Amino acid sequence: MKNHKSILPLLGLCVLSALLPSCKKYLEAKSDASITTPSKLEDLEGILNNYSFINCRYPSAPESSADNYYLTTADWNSLVQRQRDFYLWNKTADIGGDYTGPYQIISYANIVLEAEPKMGGETNRKNAVRGQALFVRGSYHFALAQLFAGPYDAGTAGNSPGIPVRTTAAIEAPVSRASIAETYDAILTDLKQAAALLPPVSPVKHQPGKAAAFGLLSRIYLSMRDYRQSELYADSCLALYSTLLDYNTLSAAAAIPFAQFNAEVIYDARSLPPPTLQQSRAKIDTNLYRSYANNDLRKTLFYQANADGSQAYKGNYSGTSAPTLFTGIATDEVLLNKAECAVRNGDIPRAQQSLNTLLAKRWKSGTFLPVTESDPKKLLNSLLAERRKELVFRSIRWTDLRRLNKDIETAQVLYRNINGQTSRLEPGAARYTYLLDQNAVRISGLEQNP
């Protein structure tokens, strides 16, 4: 019975998603109901390479809750209650796909990881399958931790509840919450093992290589405020892949200026599309928009004017219009990780160089003046401002707010105004950690967040 249960998620994958040829072959070959597990490496590759499913279930709630945009009362009223609650930081256990979607993908990664050792095949090919599955599992666990566990703090991580870390495909296995320390240890272990197995750079951008694993490790260590490790992994990533787009070559008149799988993308992934962030609703924070200089090409490539004079977001690296958001790894983020870590680690010239390398490709040709600020505090503030301007609508801002709130110098209060009433989100508030999905708590008896 156990084997029959374990294959149900795989069959669900083939039903719910666009069938790849290998998945079709798998179903045709397994018409005998007594055979309940994948038998060839090709079957596992068919699971992992199903882009429309494996790469597209990252949560959108982090961006829905961040401060890059605002809603009018009328647009807020047009939303379902769950999305209204996300916007106002109300505690709700009606989470939906932002919780169940990532865990579903984690279950497929676990199926692959348990089946791969039993398969024949060439070593490099097997390594790539295992490395890809580890990357997928680690990346989705990290995405979940940004919502359902508190911000990482080395002093309290061992005693604070993290998320359920799923490392088995057995659906009957007991479910419990790891500590935050255990959660991050599991994530880091998966990604470091993945990096050891994967090729340097994947020829297919929706499959990870070492560069993607290093880039994600840099993101994770930055969220942990471990700036030395984050910088080291940023360097390792950029040593393998450092291509930047020159924004002067792009058309600001285009409705979608950025192509999917563009040259700056190291690993392509996207979020579940939330109605909150549709272009017709989500209006860009006015202070954010005004922070772009006129010769900064991001001002016209990222945004378009609405009829009422507000701005809508269009600069999506997923190659689609909002609200489908790019959540993958790209060179610009890694460069900004490196720059911020360098200034925090006391290397001002290195920070300046990394920031200038990026910004030179973002400004109108002949107008960019290199950053020369040498005061560490002022340079850090400039870097954080550029980070927000560059990585808008990538589901990174929420994680940044959580970590920056740990420092009184960078902590900030967020505000929402709806129906003439103002909601505030204070630094370190419990509302920076979402409630677990109500069905998961009811079925598994998990400890709920306060």
Side-chain angles (χ1 to χ4, degrees):
M1 176 60 86
K2 181 177 179 181
N3 285 339
H4 285 277
K5 285 185 178 180
S6 69
I7 199 61
L8 289 177
L10 178 58
L11 297 178
L13 169 63
C14 296
V15 171
L16 291 171
S17 57
L19 290 169
L20 293 178
S22 57
C23 201
K24 288 180 179 177
K25 290 177 185 177
Y26 173 75
L27 290 179
E28 290 166 0
K30 302 303 177 188
S31 57
D32 183 345
S34 67
I35 303 175
T36 58
T37 57
S39 61
K40 297 182 296 182
L41 204 59
E42 181 185 14
D43 301 335
L44 306 184
E45 291 171 332
I47 297 171
L48 291 172
N49 296 338
N50 189 335
Y51 170 82
S52 64
F53 200 78
I54 295 295
N55 296 63
C56 301
R57 292 297 184 274
Y58 288 88
S60 59
E63 195 61 51
S64 295
S65 297
D67 60 344
N68 289 325
Y69 76 106
Y70 67 94
L71 297 176
T72 65
T73 296
D75 284 332
W76 181 81
N77 282 328
S78 70
L79 297 169
V80 298
Q81 188 59 46
R82 177 192 300 158
Q83 295 296 327
R84 294 182 190 179
D85 288 333
F86 288 178
Y87 181 72
L88 293 180
W89 314 298
N90 292 333
K91 284 287 188 177
T92 176
D94 178 19
I95 303 299
D98 278 350
Y99 188 91
T100 58
Y103 275 117
Q104 193 175 26
I105 304 305
I106 288 168
S107 74
Y108 303 147
N110 285 329
I111 289 171
V112 172
L113 289 168
E114 291 181 8
E116 177 273 326
K118 306 169 188 175
M119 304 295 178
E122 191 265 328
T123 299
N124 287 342
R125 189 176 169 193
K126 283 173 61 68
N127 284 346
V129 165
R130 187 163 196 83
Q132 190 173 346
L134 287 165
F135 179 95
V136 167
R137 186 172 73 179
S139 65
Y140 274 103
H141 274 138
F142 178 68
L144 287 162
Q146 304 318 292
L147 287 173
F148 304 107
Y152 185 90
D153 187 306
T156 61
N159 300 314
S160 301
I163 61 170
V165 175
R166 300 291 291 168
T167 57
T168 176
I171 61 174
E172 70 273 21
V175 178
S176 62
R177 295 183 69 170
S179 69
I180 289 179
E182 292 168 336
T183 297
Y184 278 77
D185 284 347
I187 293 166
L188 293 171
T189 297
D190 274 355
L191 291 170
K192 289 175 182 179
Q193 290 180 356
L197 295 168
L198 292 168
V201 178
S202 174
V204 181
K205 287 185 180 287
H206 63 79
Q207 297 173 11
K210 290 184 191 298
F214 291 152
L216 184 52
L217 282 163
S218 177
R219 179 189 291 180
I220 293 167
Y221 276 116
L222 188 67
S223 78
M224 299 168 70
R225 296 180 294 147
D226 187 335
Y227 301 115
R228 295 204 176 276
Q229 287 297 315
S230 180
E231 185 177 3
L232 286 172
Y233 279 107
D235 274 338
S236 295
C237 174
L238 294 169
L240 295 173
Y241 195 92
S242 59
T243 302
L244 277 173
L245 291 172
D246 183 349
Y247 279 14
N248 285 280
T249 66
L250 304 175
S251 171
I256 303 174
F258 299 95
Q260 186 182 20
F261 307 141
N262 69 67
E264 203 164 289
V265 171
I266 299 171
Y267 176 73
D268 187 276
R270 58 179 63 182
S271 72
L272 296 161
T276 313
L277 299 178
Q278 288 179 352
Q279 287 179 329
S280 61
R281 286 194 179 101
K283 304 179 190 307
I284 300 303
D285 177 78
T286 54
N287 290 326
L288 171 60
Y289 182 72
R290 290 168 185 160
S291 69
Y292 296 89
N294 288 336
N295 286 321
D296 187 337
L297 296 169
R298 294 173 296 187
K299 193 169 189 175
T300 52
L301 287 168
F302 284 5
Y303 309 110
Q304 63 187 21
N306 293 318
D308 63 0
S310 64
Q311 299 291 322
Y313 176 71
K314 67 172 183 176
N316 200 331
Y317 272 27
S318 69
T320 64
S321 61
T324 301
L325 305 177
F326 177 81
T327 60
I329 305 296
T331 310
D332 57 348
E333 179 195 351
V334 182
L335 267 173
L336 286 165
N337 293 353
K338 178 178 177 179
E340 181 183 339
C341 291
V343 71
R344 290 184 183 276
N345 293 332
D347 194 336
I348 300 301
R350 184 177 173 86
Q352 292 170 338
Q353 181 184 35
S354 298
L355 181 59
N356 287 328
T357 296
L358 173 68
L359 294 183
K361 300 289 188 180
R362 299 313 190 232
W363 282 58
K364 184 178 179 180
S365 295
T367 67
F368 175 64
L369 297 176
V371 174
T372 59
E373 179 60 64
S374 60
D375 178 88
K377 183 176 179 179
K378 291 180 180 178
L379 181 56
L380 177 60
N381 288 337
S382 294
L383 279 163
L384 293 176
E386 291 300 334
R387 183 175 178 85
R388 186 184 181 195
K389 289 192 286 185
E390 178 71 21
L391 303 179
V392 63
F393 277 49
R394 299 243 198 122
S395 291
I396 291 173
R397 177 65 174 168
W398 186 248
T399 297
D400 280 350
L401 287 165
R402 283 160 49 102
R403 69 179 175 91
L404 294 172
N405 282 338
K406 293 287 185 179
D407 184 345
I408 193 171
E409 296 287 338
T410 53
Q412 65 182 92
V413 180
L414 305 188
Y415 299 90
R416 304 286 207 205
N417 294 293
I418 292 293
N419 285 324
Q421 297 182 336
T422 299
S423 297
R424 292 165 56 97
L425 184 62
E426 301 285 346
R431 289 183 292 171
Y432 268 106
T433 304
Y434 277 57
L435 295 181
L436 301 183
D437 179 73
Q438 57 195 3
N439 293 319
V441 172
R442 177 176 56 83
I443 294 170
S444 302
L446 291 168
E447 174 192 357
Q448 183 60 280
N449 288 323

